[in-house]
PDB file of all heavy atoms in Angstrom:
ATOM      1  N   ASP A 430      95.003  55.963 -33.207  1.00 95.00           N
ATOM      2  CA  ASP A 430      96.328  55.687 -33.775  1.00 95.00           C
ATOM      3  C   ASP A 430      96.723  56.731 -34.804  1.00 95.00           C
ATOM      4  O   ASP A 430      97.908  56.997 -34.999  1.00 95.00           O
ATOM      5  CB  ASP A 430      96.322  54.313 -34.411  1.00 95.00           C
ATOM      6  CG  ASP A 430      96.102  53.199 -33.400  1.00 95.00           C
ATOM      7  OD1 ASP A 430      96.510  53.384 -32.240  1.00 95.00           O
ATOM      8  OD2 ASP A 430      95.572  52.131 -33.803  1.00 95.00           O
ATOM      9  N   TYR A 431      95.706  57.301 -35.485  1.00 94.00           N
ATOM     10  CA  TYR A 431      95.939  58.315 -36.510  1.00 94.00           C
ATOM     11  C   TYR A 431      94.936  59.467 -36.348  1.00 94.00           C
ATOM     12  O   TYR A 431      93.842  59.293 -35.804  1.00 94.00           O
ATOM     13  CB  TYR A 431      95.752  57.699 -37.914  1.00 94.00           C
ATOM     14  CG  TYR A 431      96.715  56.560 -38.211  1.00 94.00           C
ATOM     15  CD1 TYR A 431      96.365  55.244 -37.964  1.00 94.00           C
ATOM     16  CD2 TYR A 431      97.980  56.824 -38.697  1.00 94.00           C
ATOM     17  CE1 TYR A 431      97.252  54.205 -38.243  1.00 94.00           C
ATOM     18  CE2 TYR A 431      98.876  55.793 -38.999  1.00 94.00           C
ATOM     19  CZ  TYR A 431      98.499  54.481 -38.721  1.00 94.00           C
ATOM     20  OH  TYR A 431      99.377  53.478 -38.991  1.00 94.00           O
ATOM     21  N   THR A 432      95.345  60.621 -36.822  1.00 91.00           N
ATOM     22  CA  THR A 432      94.462  61.807 -36.804  1.00 91.00           C
ATOM     23  C   THR A 432      93.461  61.732 -37.925  1.00 91.00           C
ATOM     24  O   THR A 432      93.548  60.907 -38.817  1.00 91.00           O
ATOM     25  CB  THR A 432      95.329  63.092 -36.942  1.00 91.00           C
ATOM     26  OG1 THR A 432      95.947  63.069 -38.233  1.00 91.00           O
ATOM     27  CG2 THR A 432      96.386  63.166 -35.847  1.00 91.00           C
ATOM     28  N   GLY A 433      92.515  62.676 -37.917  1.00 88.00           N
ATOM     29  CA  GLY A 433      91.612  62.872 -39.059  1.00 88.00           C
ATOM     30  C   GLY A 433      90.380  62.001 -39.088  1.00 88.00           C
ATOM     31  O   GLY A 433      89.653  61.975 -40.083  1.00 88.00           O
ATOM     32  N   SER A 434      90.098  61.268 -38.010  1.00 89.00           N
ATOM     33  CA  SER A 434      88.932  60.337 -38.015  1.00 89.00           C
ATOM     34  C   SER A 434      87.627  61.075 -38.321  1.00 89.00           C
ATOM     35  O   SER A 434      86.738  60.519 -38.966  1.00 89.00           O
ATOM     36  CB  SER A 434      88.825  59.588 -36.675  1.00 89.00           C
ATOM     37  OG  SER A 434      89.920  58.724 -36.509  1.00 89.00           O
ATOM     38  N   ASN A 435      87.483  62.265 -37.775  1.00 81.00           N
ATOM     39  CA  ASN A 435      86.212  62.977 -37.922  1.00 81.00           C
ATOM     40  C   ASN A 435      86.321  64.192 -38.865  1.00 81.00           C
ATOM     41  O   ASN A 435      85.464  65.074 -38.825  1.00 81.00           O
ATOM     42  CB  ASN A 435      85.774  63.488 -36.532  1.00 81.00           C
ATOM     43  CG  ASN A 435      85.640  62.324 -35.541  1.00 81.00           C
ATOM     44  OD1 ASN A 435      84.852  61.393 -35.784  1.00 81.00           O
ATOM     45  ND2 ASN A 435      86.371  62.356 -34.472  1.00 81.00           N
ATOM     46  N   GLY A 436      87.335  64.191 -39.721  1.00 81.00           N
ATOM     47  CA  GLY A 436      87.512  65.328 -40.650  1.00 81.00           C
ATOM     48  C   GLY A 436      86.818  65.084 -41.958  1.00 81.00           C
ATOM     49  O   GLY A 436      86.238  64.019 -42.215  1.00 81.00           O
ATOM     50  N   PHE A 437      86.854  66.125 -42.840  1.00 85.00           N
ATOM     51  CA  PHE A 437      86.293  65.972 -44.173  1.00 85.00           C
ATOM     52  C   PHE A 437      87.291  65.233 -45.040  1.00 85.00           C
ATOM     53  O   PHE A 437      88.258  64.624 -44.534  1.00 85.00           O
ATOM     54  CB  PHE A 437      85.978  67.368 -44.768  1.00 85.00           C
ATOM     55  CG  PHE A 437      84.795  68.035 -44.165  1.00 85.00           C
ATOM     56  CD1 PHE A 437      84.904  68.954 -43.151  1.00 85.00           C
ATOM     57  CD2 PHE A 437      83.497  67.686 -44.601  1.00 85.00           C
ATOM     58  CE1 PHE A 437      83.782  69.563 -42.614  1.00 85.00           C
ATOM     59  CE2 PHE A 437      82.376  68.283 -44.059  1.00 85.00           C
ATOM     60  CZ  PHE A 437      82.527  69.217 -43.049  1.00 85.00           C
ATOM     61  N   PHE A 438      87.069  65.204 -46.358  1.00 89.00           N
ATOM     62  CA  PHE A 438      87.920  64.362 -47.232  1.00 89.00           C
ATOM     63  C   PHE A 438      89.178  65.063 -47.691  1.00 89.00           C
ATOM     64  O   PHE A 438      89.916  64.495 -48.453  1.00 89.00           O
ATOM     65  CB  PHE A 438      87.090  63.902 -48.456  1.00 89.00           C
ATOM     66  CG  PHE A 438      86.185  62.774 -48.145  1.00 89.00           C
ATOM     67  CD1 PHE A 438      84.953  62.942 -47.600  1.00 89.00           C
ATOM     68  CD2 PHE A 438      86.625  61.464 -48.336  1.00 89.00           C
ATOM     69  CE1 PHE A 438      84.104  61.871 -47.321  1.00 89.00           C
ATOM     70  CE2 PHE A 438      85.822  60.359 -48.047  1.00 89.00           C
ATOM     71  CZ  PHE A 438      84.538  60.566 -47.525  1.00 89.00           C
ATOM     72  N   GLY A 439      89.407  66.288 -47.229  1.00 87.00           N
ATOM     73  CA  GLY A 439      90.604  66.992 -47.622  1.00 87.00           C
ATOM     74  C   GLY A 439      91.714  66.909 -46.609  1.00 87.00           C
ATOM     75  O   GLY A 439      91.890  65.867 -45.937  1.00 87.00           O
ATOM     76  N   ILE A 440      92.424  67.999 -46.420  1.00 86.00           N
ATOM     77  CA  ILE A 440      93.604  68.017 -45.579  1.00 86.00           C
ATOM     78  C   ILE A 440      93.265  67.740 -44.120  1.00 86.00           C
ATOM     79  O   ILE A 440      94.087  67.124 -43.390  1.00 86.00           O
ATOM     80  CB  ILE A 440      94.372  69.363 -45.719  1.00 86.00           C
ATOM     81  CG1 ILE A 440      95.765  69.294 -45.081  1.00 86.00           C
ATOM     82  CG2 ILE A 440      93.525  70.505 -45.144  1.00 86.00           C
ATOM     83  CD1 ILE A 440      96.677  68.349 -45.786  1.00 86.00           C
ATOM     84  N   THR A 441      92.043  68.151 -43.681  1.00 86.00           N
ATOM     85  CA  THR A 441      91.725  67.902 -42.290  1.00 86.00           C
ATOM     86  C   THR A 441      91.399  66.436 -41.999  1.00 86.00           C
ATOM     87  O   THR A 441      91.296  66.014 -40.830  1.00 86.00           O
ATOM     88  CB  THR A 441      90.476  68.739 -41.875  1.00 86.00           C
ATOM     89  OG1 THR A 441      89.402  68.437 -42.757  1.00 86.00           O
ATOM     90  CG2 THR A 441      90.797  70.223 -41.921  1.00 86.00           C
ATOM     91  N   GLY A 442      91.264  65.632 -43.069  1.00 87.00           N
ATOM     92  CA  GLY A 442      91.007  64.196 -42.895  1.00 87.00           C
ATOM     93  C   GLY A 442      92.253  63.357 -43.165  1.00 87.00           C
ATOM     94  O   GLY A 442      92.178  62.156 -43.197  1.00 87.00           O
ATOM     95  N   ALA A 443      93.387  64.037 -43.345  1.00 89.00           N
ATOM     96  CA  ALA A 443      94.643  63.297 -43.648  1.00 89.00           C
ATOM     97  C   ALA A 443      95.143  62.573 -42.382  1.00 89.00           C
ATOM     98  O   ALA A 443      95.261  63.219 -41.314  1.00 89.00           O
ATOM     99  CB  ALA A 443      95.705  64.276 -44.163  1.00 89.00           C
ATOM    100  N   PRO A 444      95.435  61.292 -42.460  1.00 92.00           N
ATOM    101  CA  PRO A 444      95.918  60.579 -41.283  1.00 92.00           C
ATOM    102  C   PRO A 444      97.380  60.820 -41.018  1.00 92.00           C
ATOM    103  O   PRO A 444      98.201  60.674 -41.882  1.00 92.00           O
ATOM    104  CB  PRO A 444      95.648  59.105 -41.683  1.00 92.00           C
ATOM    105  CG  PRO A 444      95.728  59.093 -43.150  1.00 92.00           C
ATOM    106  CD  PRO A 444      95.248  60.406 -43.636  1.00 92.00           C
ATOM    107  N   GLN A 445      97.661  61.184 -39.804  1.00 91.00           N
ATOM    108  CA  GLN A 445      99.052  61.267 -39.321  1.00 91.00           C
ATOM    109  C   GLN A 445      99.208  60.347 -38.092  1.00 91.00           C
ATOM    110  O   GLN A 445      98.263  60.213 -37.284  1.00 91.00           O
ATOM    111  CB  GLN A 445      99.414  62.686 -38.894  1.00 91.00           C
ATOM    112  CG  GLN A 445      99.329  63.728 -39.992  1.00 91.00           C
ATOM    113  CD  GLN A 445      99.696  65.099 -39.461  1.00 91.00           C
ATOM    114  OE1 GLN A 445     100.763  65.277 -38.859  1.00 91.00           O
ATOM    115  NE2 GLN A 445      98.824  66.070 -39.626  1.00 91.00           N
ATOM    116  N   ASP A 446     100.359  59.747 -37.970  1.00 92.00           N
ATOM    117  CA  ASP A 446     100.627  58.960 -36.762  1.00 92.00           C
ATOM    118  C   ASP A 446     100.460  59.874 -35.560  1.00 92.00           C
ATOM    119  O   ASP A 446     101.069  60.932 -35.467  1.00 92.00           O
ATOM    120  CB  ASP A 446     102.053  58.419 -36.823  1.00 92.00           C
ATOM    121  CG  ASP A 446     102.361  57.424 -35.669  1.00 92.00           C
ATOM    122  OD1 ASP A 446     101.877  57.698 -34.547  1.00 92.00           O
ATOM    123  OD2 ASP A 446     103.085  56.447 -35.926  1.00 92.00           O
ATOM    124  N   ILE A 447      99.572  59.470 -34.628  1.00 92.00           N
ATOM    125  CA  ILE A 447      99.258  60.343 -33.518  1.00 92.00           C
ATOM    126  C   ILE A 447     100.467  60.683 -32.678  1.00 92.00           C
ATOM    127  O   ILE A 447     100.526  61.758 -32.042  1.00 92.00           O
ATOM    128  CB  ILE A 447      98.126  59.738 -32.617  1.00 92.00           C
ATOM    129  CG1 ILE A 447      97.540  60.760 -31.703  1.00 92.00           C
ATOM    130  CG2 ILE A 447      98.647  58.518 -31.893  1.00 92.00           C
ATOM    131  CD1 ILE A 447      96.835  61.881 -32.363  1.00 92.00           C
ATOM    132  N   ASN A 448     101.447  59.789 -32.660  1.00 88.00           N
ATOM    133  CA  ASN A 448     102.662  60.058 -31.881  1.00 88.00           C
ATOM    134  C   ASN A 448     103.623  61.006 -32.592  1.00 88.00           C
ATOM    135  O   ASN A 448     104.622  61.423 -32.016  1.00 88.00           O
ATOM    136  CB  ASN A 448     103.358  58.745 -31.584  1.00 88.00           C
ATOM    137  CG  ASN A 448     102.538  57.866 -30.678  1.00 88.00           C
ATOM    138  OD1 ASN A 448     101.994  58.314 -29.674  1.00 88.00           O
ATOM    139  ND2 ASN A 448     102.358  56.588 -31.076  1.00 88.00           N
ATOM    140  N   LYS A 449     103.317  61.335 -33.889  1.00 85.00           N
ATOM    141  CA  LYS A 449     104.189  62.221 -34.634  1.00 85.00           C
ATOM    142  C   LYS A 449     103.384  63.404 -35.200  1.00 85.00           C
ATOM    143  O   LYS A 449     103.836  64.044 -36.157  1.00 85.00           O
ATOM    144  CB  LYS A 449     104.830  61.452 -35.826  1.00 85.00           C
ATOM    145  CG  LYS A 449     105.681  60.266 -35.347  1.00 85.00           C
ATOM    146  CD  LYS A 449     106.227  59.497 -36.553  1.00 85.00           C
ATOM    147  CE  LYS A 449     107.021  58.280 -36.124  1.00 85.00           C
ATOM    148  NZ  LYS A 449     107.542  57.510 -37.295  1.00 85.00           N
ATOM    149  N   ALA A 450     102.213  63.658 -34.646  1.00 78.00           N
ATOM    150  CA  ALA A 450     101.365  64.745 -35.122  1.00 78.00           C
ATOM    151  C   ALA A 450     102.083  66.051 -35.065  1.00 78.00           C
ATOM    152  O   ALA A 450     102.736  66.379 -34.104  1.00 78.00           O
ATOM    153  CB  ALA A 450     100.069  64.792 -34.319  1.00 78.00           C
TER     154      ALA A 450
END
Side-chain angles (χ1 to χ4, degrees):
D430 295 330
Y431 299 93
T432 64
S434 293
N435 302 301
F437 287 98
F438 280 86
I440 192 65
T441 57
Q445 299 180 53
D446 187 322
I447 194 64
N448 296 312
K449 301 176 182 179

